[in-house]
Amino acid sequence: MSRVLLIEDDPAVRRGMEVALRHRGHTVTSAPTGEEGLALLRTRRPDVVVLDLMLPGMRGLDVCRRIRDRDQVPIIIVTARGDDVDVVVGLEAGADDYVVKPVRAGVLEARIRAVLRRTDPGAAGRARPVPSTYGDLVVDRAAMVVTYRGEPVPLAPSELRLLLALSASPGRVLSRQQLLEQVWEHSYHGDVRLVDACVKRLRGKLGGSGGGPAPGPGQVSGSGSGPVARQGSASGSGPGPSSASGSGAGASGRSGNSTAHGGSSGCIETVRGFGYRFRAV
């Protein structure tokens, strides 16, 4: 099974999570502080990091950013509250998924399995071994590698799988709910923040500004000038994932409710009331 690095300061919670994960076959290394966790990251090379946001000393958010600066290992954050601020800020810091305390062992196990599947090249679809080129952007689905102007782009597992899902069908609109099911393997509506935060990070890494406050489920704001940094001013009507997923197969790629600005490669557009689409330029 996988190697898990658990960073959790509460001894009782840490012990309970260790026992539950080991019972399910994982190898667990734990640390009570962010500093110790970062040191273990270098020596143990885990497959996934489970990170509590409320840590003494170095905050969990800072630990998440430090990890993401140097490594693309999957990160699952643990928060005591499921509120927008904690979750969205954690996701924008680079986390791939989250769980809320008290953590249920079955939920954590499902999240770990799902996030590890995103790192498996075999899960990307072997039917398209030839790299796809969108101007300066090249997506190699077989190797799970993305390059821009010949330089590799380091993407976290969720960012990579999101780009793969969107670019597989340029022009097709995918609702947030569809993306949750394809990328995160979530079947309920409460996690649309995962999609919006991941799109924001992806745009930033591929040339977007990534600035501004975190958007709501139906509102993504900002602009950029790079290959995947395009979004419309999506606000007002129809923000929720339930309305976004009503068509099942995605809306037509010709909706007038989105905006895009120039670019030499592909771009991710926000389609108001529906979701996102990748447009090959």
Side-chain angles (χ1 to χ4, degrees), residues 197-218:
C198 193
V199 167
K200 183 176 181 179
R201 295 195 330 254
L202 183 57
R203 284 168 169 161
K205 286 190 175 183
L206 295 177
S209 64

Side-chain angles (χ1 to χ4, degrees), residues 14 29 118 126 147 156 165-166 176 185 209 276:
R14 186 170 65 248
T29 302
R118 293 171 221 161
R126 298 182 178 85
T147 60
L166 287 168
R176 290 171 174 85
E185 302 180 28
S209 64
Y276 297 102

Side-chain angles (χ1 to χ4, degrees), residues 55-97:
L55 294 173
M58 184 183 295
R59 298 183 311 156
L61 289 174
D62 294 328
V63 176
C64 186
R65 293 187 183 102
R66 291 276 193 94
I67 294 174
R68 195 52 78 225
D69 284 344
R70 66 179 69 165
D71 204 313
Q72 300 309 316
V73 62
I75 303 171
I76 300 173
I77 55 174
V78 181
T79 174
R81 302 171 297 172
D83 63 68
D84 288 345
V85 174
D86 278 359
V87 172
V88 171
V89 173
L91 294 172
E92 291 183 351
D96 294 280
D97 210 332

